[in-house]
Amino acid sequence: MEGIISRSTTPDLPDQAARPRRTAGIGKVLLGGVAGVLLTAVLLTVLWRPRTEVTYRSTAPSAVAYEDGSPHFLGLVHEHGLSGRHSYRMVIGRDSGLSYGHWVDVDPALGAQGIASTTWTESGVRVRFPTGHEVFVPARFFLHGR
């Protein structure tokens, strides 16, 4: 059998390093998908971030003197939640920025219409809404920094 040249039955394979790997492409697609989801979540958070705004302000008149000797403020604060939820809260106290004081939660349907008027007396403050609802907050709840 000399002189017979043996031939291989398997064809020559191209170099493994030169051939792209299928798993590397899938990994890049998955990484791009995850990055896209994260960027979308960050963008939505920035656009719909929780924020607050004061929709109504009232200051106790100087003729109404409270025992703690401080000026007092009332505000209706509208809070926009990240989930799209809206809530309203009355804040009454000595802080003109309305970040601290006595808080009273207000139904969102009522708060969305705003406050019609406030009446300050030595015994407290009466808040009237356009719907006819009234809330009276006794002074003892918002005096002395509460």
Side-chain angles (χ1 to χ4, degrees):
M1 290 215 177
E2 289 180 32
I4 297 179
I5 300 175
S6 169
R7 290 191 125 170
S8 172
T9 57
T10 58
D12 291 336
L13 297 175
D15 185 22
Q16 293 290 333
R19 187 169 57 173
R21 301 179 80 184
R22 177 179 272 172
T23 56
I26 293 172
K28 288 180 181 178
V29 169
L30 288 176
L31 182 62
V34 168
V37 168
L38 287 175
L39 286 173
T40 301
V42 167
L43 179 67
L44 291 176
T45 301
V46 168
L47 291 175
W48 290 334
R49 70 185 179 279
R51 63 189 184 280
T52 60
E53 64 179 313
V54 178
T55 60
Y56 178 86
R57 286 184 182 272
S58 176
T59 303
S62 57
V64 178
Y66 293 109
E67 63 185 58
D68 63 359
S70 298
H72 290 83
F73 307 91
L74 178 143
L76 182 63
V77 179
H78 180 194
E79 298 176 352
H80 305 263
L82 185 59
S83 66
R85 181 175 176 260
H86 295 268
S87 62
Y88 293 85
R89 174 178 289 166
M90 280 191 313
V91 181
I92 311 162
R94 298 187 303 185
D95 178 24
S96 62
L98 303 171
S99 62
Y100 181 78
H102 180 71
W103 293 6
V104 177
D105 288 326
V106 176
D107 183 84
L110 191 61
Q113 296 182 25
I115 292 176
S117 66
T118 54
T119 304
W120 296 85
T121 65
E122 283 82 13
S123 60
V125 61
R126 181 172 307 279
V127 179
R128 289 183 182 87
F129 293 90
T131 59
H133 292 85
E134 291 185 2
V135 175
F136 180 76
V137 180
R140 70 177 183 272
F141 290 117
F142 59 82
L143 294 181
H144 304 290
R146 286 185 254 161

PDB file of all heavy atoms in Angstrom, residues 42-60:
ATOM      1  N   VAL A  42     -34.164  55.280  34.809  1.00  0.00           N
ATOM      2  CA  VAL A  42     -33.566  56.531  35.302  1.00  0.00           C
ATOM      3  C   VAL A  42     -34.274  57.734  34.684  1.00  0.00           C
ATOM      4  O   VAL A  42     -34.604  58.702  35.377  1.00  0.00           O
ATOM      5  CB  VAL A  42     -32.051  56.567  35.013  1.00  0.00           C
ATOM      6  CG1 VAL A  42     -31.478  57.955  35.230  1.00  0.00           C
ATOM      7  CG2 VAL A  42     -31.325  55.548  35.871  1.00  0.00           C
ATOM      8  N   LEU A  43     -34.550  57.681  33.408  1.00  0.00           N
ATOM      9  CA  LEU A  43     -35.236  58.786  32.733  1.00  0.00           C
ATOM     10  C   LEU A  43     -36.632  59.008  33.307  1.00  0.00           C
ATOM     11  O   LEU A  43     -37.019  60.149  33.593  1.00  0.00           O
ATOM     12  CB  LEU A  43     -35.320  58.512  31.234  1.00  0.00           C
ATOM     13  CG  LEU A  43     -36.046  59.575  30.414  1.00  0.00           C
ATOM     14  CD1 LEU A  43     -35.253  60.874  30.423  1.00  0.00           C
ATOM     15  CD2 LEU A  43     -36.266  59.095  28.993  1.00  0.00           C
ATOM     16  N   LEU A  44     -37.384  57.937  33.512  1.00  0.00           N
ATOM     17  CA  LEU A  44     -38.724  58.075  34.076  1.00  0.00           C
ATOM     18  C   LEU A  44     -38.677  58.612  35.502  1.00  0.00           C
ATOM     19  O   LEU A  44     -39.524  59.408  35.906  1.00  0.00           O
ATOM     20  CB  LEU A  44     -39.457  56.734  34.032  1.00  0.00           C
ATOM     21  CG  LEU A  44     -39.835  56.253  32.632  1.00  0.00           C
ATOM     22  CD1 LEU A  44     -40.470  54.874  32.690  1.00  0.00           C
ATOM     23  CD2 LEU A  44     -40.762  57.236  31.954  1.00  0.00           C
ATOM     24  N   THR A  45     -37.691  58.190  36.274  1.00  0.00           N
ATOM     25  CA  THR A  45     -37.544  58.688  37.641  1.00  0.00           C
ATOM     26  C   THR A  45     -37.256  60.183  37.649  1.00  0.00           C
ATOM     27  O   THR A  45     -37.813  60.929  38.445  1.00  0.00           O
ATOM     28  CB  THR A  45     -36.420  57.928  38.373  1.00  0.00           C
ATOM     29  OG1 THR A  45     -36.746  56.542  38.395  1.00  0.00           O
ATOM     30  CG2 THR A  45     -36.249  58.430  39.790  1.00  0.00           C
ATOM     31  N   VAL A  46     -36.410  60.628  36.739  1.00  0.00           N
ATOM     32  CA  VAL A  46     -36.083  62.061  36.662  1.00  0.00           C
ATOM     33  C   VAL A  46     -37.306  62.862  36.223  1.00  0.00           C
ATOM     34  O   VAL A  46     -37.600  63.920  36.778  1.00  0.00           O
ATOM     35  CB  VAL A  46     -34.895  62.296  35.706  1.00  0.00           C
ATOM     36  CG1 VAL A  46     -34.722  63.762  35.373  1.00  0.00           C
ATOM     37  CG2 VAL A  46     -33.621  61.732  36.316  1.00  0.00           C
ATOM     38  N   LEU A  47     -38.050  62.351  35.248  1.00  0.00           N
ATOM     39  CA  LEU A  47     -39.214  63.084  34.758  1.00  0.00           C
ATOM     40  C   LEU A  47     -40.361  63.110  35.754  1.00  0.00           C
ATOM     41  O   LEU A  47     -41.082  64.099  35.851  1.00  0.00           O
ATOM     42  CB  LEU A  47     -39.697  62.476  33.438  1.00  0.00           C
ATOM     43  CG  LEU A  47     -38.770  62.666  32.245  1.00  0.00           C
ATOM     44  CD1 LEU A  47     -39.308  61.911  31.032  1.00  0.00           C
ATOM     45  CD2 LEU A  47     -38.585  64.131  31.923  1.00  0.00           C
ATOM     46  N   TRP A  48     -40.568  62.010  36.468  1.00  0.00           N
ATOM     47  CA  TRP A  48     -41.702  61.904  37.384  1.00  0.00           C
ATOM     48  C   TRP A  48     -41.260  61.875  38.833  1.00  0.00           C
ATOM     49  O   TRP A  48     -41.907  61.269  39.671  1.00  0.00           O
ATOM     50  CB  TRP A  48     -42.512  60.650  37.072  1.00  0.00           C
ATOM     51  CG  TRP A  48     -43.245  60.729  35.790  1.00  0.00           C
ATOM     52  CD1 TRP A  48     -43.685  61.836  35.142  1.00  0.00           C
ATOM     53  CD2 TRP A  48     -43.636  59.630  34.978  1.00  0.00           C
ATOM     54  NE1 TRP A  48     -44.317  61.500  33.984  1.00  0.00           N
ATOM     55  CE2 TRP A  48     -44.308  60.143  33.860  1.00  0.00           C
ATOM     56  CE3 TRP A  48     -43.485  58.243  35.087  1.00  0.00           C
ATOM     57  CZ2 TRP A  48     -44.822  59.346  32.868  1.00  0.00           C
ATOM     58  CZ3 TRP A  48     -44.007  57.451  34.089  1.00  0.00           C
ATOM     59  CH2 TRP A  48     -44.666  57.994  32.998  1.00  0.00           C
ATOM     60  N   ARG A  49     -40.151  62.506  39.136  1.00  0.00           N
ATOM     61  CA  ARG A  49     -39.628  62.468  40.502  1.00  0.00           C
ATOM     62  C   ARG A  49     -40.654  63.043  41.480  1.00  0.00           C
ATOM     63  O   ARG A  49     -41.437  63.930  41.113  1.00  0.00           O
ATOM     64  CB  ARG A  49     -38.322  63.228  40.591  1.00  0.00           C
ATOM     65  CG  ARG A  49     -38.488  64.718  40.445  1.00  0.00           C
ATOM     66  CD  ARG A  49     -37.149  65.428  40.426  1.00  0.00           C
ATOM     67  NE  ARG A  49     -37.321  66.843  40.269  1.00  0.00           N
ATOM     68  CZ  ARG A  49     -37.538  67.441  39.115  1.00  0.00           C
ATOM     69  NH1 ARG A  49     -37.584  66.743  38.011  1.00  0.00           N
ATOM     70  NH2 ARG A  49     -37.701  68.747  39.065  1.00  0.00           N
ATOM     71  N   PRO A  50     -40.629  62.552  42.680  1.00  0.00           N
ATOM     72  CA  PRO A  50     -41.548  63.103  43.681  1.00  0.00           C
ATOM     73  C   PRO A  50     -41.235  64.585  43.911  1.00  0.00           C
ATOM     74  O   PRO A  50     -40.084  64.990  43.972  1.00  0.00           O
ATOM     75  CB  PRO A  50     -41.240  62.293  44.938  1.00  0.00           C
ATOM     76  CG  PRO A  50     -40.539  61.075  44.466  1.00  0.00           C
ATOM     77  CD  PRO A  50     -39.841  61.454  43.199  1.00  0.00           C
ATOM     78  N   ARG A  51     -42.264  65.383  44.017  1.00  0.00           N
ATOM     79  CA  ARG A  51     -42.070  66.814  44.277  1.00  0.00           C
ATOM     80  C   ARG A  51     -43.284  67.352  45.035  1.00  0.00           C
ATOM     81  O   ARG A  51     -44.351  66.749  45.023  1.00  0.00           O
ATOM     82  CB  ARG A  51     -41.830  67.577  42.982  1.00  0.00           C
ATOM     83  CG  ARG A  51     -42.987  67.542  42.019  1.00  0.00           C
ATOM     84  CD  ARG A  51     -42.591  68.147  40.667  1.00  0.00           C
ATOM     85  NE  ARG A  51     -43.699  68.211  39.766  1.00  0.00           N
ATOM     86  CZ  ARG A  51     -44.158  67.199  39.050  1.00  0.00           C
ATOM     87  NH1 ARG A  51     -43.601  66.016  39.153  1.00  0.00           N
ATOM     88  NH2 ARG A  51     -45.184  67.345  38.237  1.00  0.00           N
ATOM     89  N   THR A  52     -43.087  68.478  45.658  1.00  0.00           N
ATOM     90  CA  THR A  52     -44.174  69.114  46.396  1.00  0.00           C
ATOM     91  C   THR A  52     -44.302  70.560  45.931  1.00  0.00           C
ATOM     92  O   THR A  52     -43.325  71.176  45.500  1.00  0.00           O
ATOM     93  CB  THR A  52     -43.925  69.093  47.916  1.00  0.00           C
ATOM     94  OG1 THR A  52     -42.722  69.801  48.199  1.00  0.00           O
ATOM     95  CG2 THR A  52     -43.825  67.680  48.447  1.00  0.00           C
ATOM     96  N   GLU A  53     -45.522  71.061  46.024  1.00  0.00           N
ATOM     97  CA  GLU A  53     -45.759  72.466  45.732  1.00  0.00           C
ATOM     98  C   GLU A  53     -46.828  72.976  46.690  1.00  0.00           C
ATOM     99  O   GLU A  53     -47.749  72.248  47.052  1.00  0.00           O
ATOM    100  CB  GLU A  53     -46.177  72.671  44.277  1.00  0.00           C
ATOM    101  CG  GLU A  53     -47.496  72.021  43.914  1.00  0.00           C
ATOM    102  CD  GLU A  53     -47.900  72.267  42.475  1.00  0.00           C
ATOM    103  OE1 GLU A  53     -47.833  73.428  42.013  1.00  0.00           O
ATOM    104  OE2 GLU A  53     -48.295  71.301  41.826  1.00  0.00           O
ATOM    105  N   VAL A  54     -46.666  74.198  47.105  1.00  0.00           N
ATOM    106  CA  VAL A  54     -47.640  74.822  47.992  1.00  0.00           C
ATOM    107  C   VAL A  54     -48.682  75.508  47.107  1.00  0.00           C
ATOM    108  O   VAL A  54     -48.361  76.405  46.332  1.00  0.00           O
ATOM    109  CB  VAL A  54     -46.966  75.834  48.934  1.00  0.00           C
ATOM    110  CG1 VAL A  54     -47.999  76.514  49.816  1.00  0.00           C
ATOM    111  CG2 VAL A  54     -45.907  75.138  49.785  1.00  0.00           C
ATOM    112  N   THR A  55     -49.938  75.058  47.235  1.00  0.00           N
ATOM    113  CA  THR A  55     -51.001  75.597  46.373  1.00  0.00           C
ATOM    114  C   THR A  55     -51.812  76.689  47.062  1.00  0.00           C
ATOM    115  O   THR A  55     -52.601  77.373  46.410  1.00  0.00           O
ATOM    116  CB  THR A  55     -51.935  74.471  45.906  1.00  0.00           C
ATOM    117  OG1 THR A  55     -52.521  73.848  47.039  1.00  0.00           O
ATOM    118  CG2 THR A  55     -51.170  73.433  45.089  1.00  0.00           C
ATOM    119  N   TYR A  56     -51.641  76.840  48.382  1.00  0.00           N
ATOM    120  CA  TYR A  56     -52.371  77.886  49.113  1.00  0.00           C
ATOM    121  C   TYR A  56     -51.544  78.263  50.335  1.00  0.00           C
ATOM    122  O   TYR A  56     -50.964  77.396  50.997  1.00  0.00           O
ATOM    123  CB  TYR A  56     -53.741  77.357  49.562  1.00  0.00           C
ATOM    124  CG  TYR A  56     -54.546  78.361  50.359  1.00  0.00           C
ATOM    125  CD1 TYR A  56     -55.358  79.296  49.734  1.00  0.00           C
ATOM    126  CD2 TYR A  56     -54.479  78.372  51.753  1.00  0.00           C
ATOM    127  CE1 TYR A  56     -56.095  80.214  50.472  1.00  0.00           C
ATOM    128  CE2 TYR A  56     -55.206  79.292  52.490  1.00  0.00           C
ATOM    129  CZ  TYR A  56     -56.008  80.216  51.847  1.00  0.00           C
ATOM    130  OH  TYR A  56     -56.730  81.120  52.581  1.00  0.00           O
ATOM    131  N   ARG A  57     -51.497  79.573  50.638  1.00  0.00           N
ATOM    132  CA  ARG A  57     -50.794  80.074  51.831  1.00  0.00           C
ATOM    133  C   ARG A  57     -51.682  81.061  52.570  1.00  0.00           C
ATOM    134  O   ARG A  57     -52.403  81.836  51.950  1.00  0.00           O
ATOM    135  CB  ARG A  57     -49.516  80.820  51.453  1.00  0.00           C
ATOM    136  CG  ARG A  57     -48.401  79.962  51.005  1.00  0.00           C
ATOM    137  CD  ARG A  57     -47.153  80.830  50.766  1.00  0.00           C
ATOM    138  NE  ARG A  57     -46.070  80.034  50.278  1.00  0.00           N
ATOM    139  CZ  ARG A  57     -45.201  79.403  51.050  1.00  0.00           C
ATOM    140  NH1 ARG A  57     -45.293  79.513  52.352  1.00  0.00           N
ATOM    141  NH2 ARG A  57     -44.245  78.683  50.524  1.00  0.00           N
ATOM    142  N   SER A  58     -51.554  81.016  53.893  1.00  0.00           N
ATOM    143  CA  SER A  58     -52.236  81.998  54.726  1.00  0.00           C
ATOM    144  C   SER A  58     -51.351  82.271  55.943  1.00  0.00           C
ATOM    145  O   SER A  58     -50.718  81.365  56.477  1.00  0.00           O
ATOM    146  CB  SER A  58     -53.598  81.468  55.181  1.00  0.00           C
ATOM    147  OG  SER A  58     -54.214  82.399  56.059  1.00  0.00           O
ATOM    148  N   THR A  59     -51.325  83.537  56.355  1.00  0.00           N
ATOM    149  CA  THR A  59     -50.564  83.934  57.538  1.00  0.00           C
ATOM    150  C   THR A  59     -51.538  84.484  58.561  1.00  0.00           C
ATOM    151  O   THR A  59     -52.435  85.260  58.218  1.00  0.00           O
ATOM    152  CB  THR A  59     -49.529  85.020  57.172  1.00  0.00           C
ATOM    153  OG1 THR A  59     -48.690  84.510  56.140  1.00  0.00           O
ATOM    154  CG2 THR A  59     -48.687  85.408  58.370  1.00  0.00           C
ATOM    155  N   ALA A  60     -51.340  84.067  59.805  1.00  0.00           N
ATOM    156  CA  ALA A  60     -52.209  84.587  60.871  1.00  0.00           C
ATOM    157  C   ALA A  60     -52.032  86.103  60.949  1.00  0.00           C
ATOM    158  O   ALA A  60     -50.903  86.603  60.922  1.00  0.00           O
ATOM    159  CB  ALA A  60     -51.848  83.937  62.199  1.00  0.00           C
TER     160      ALA A  60
END
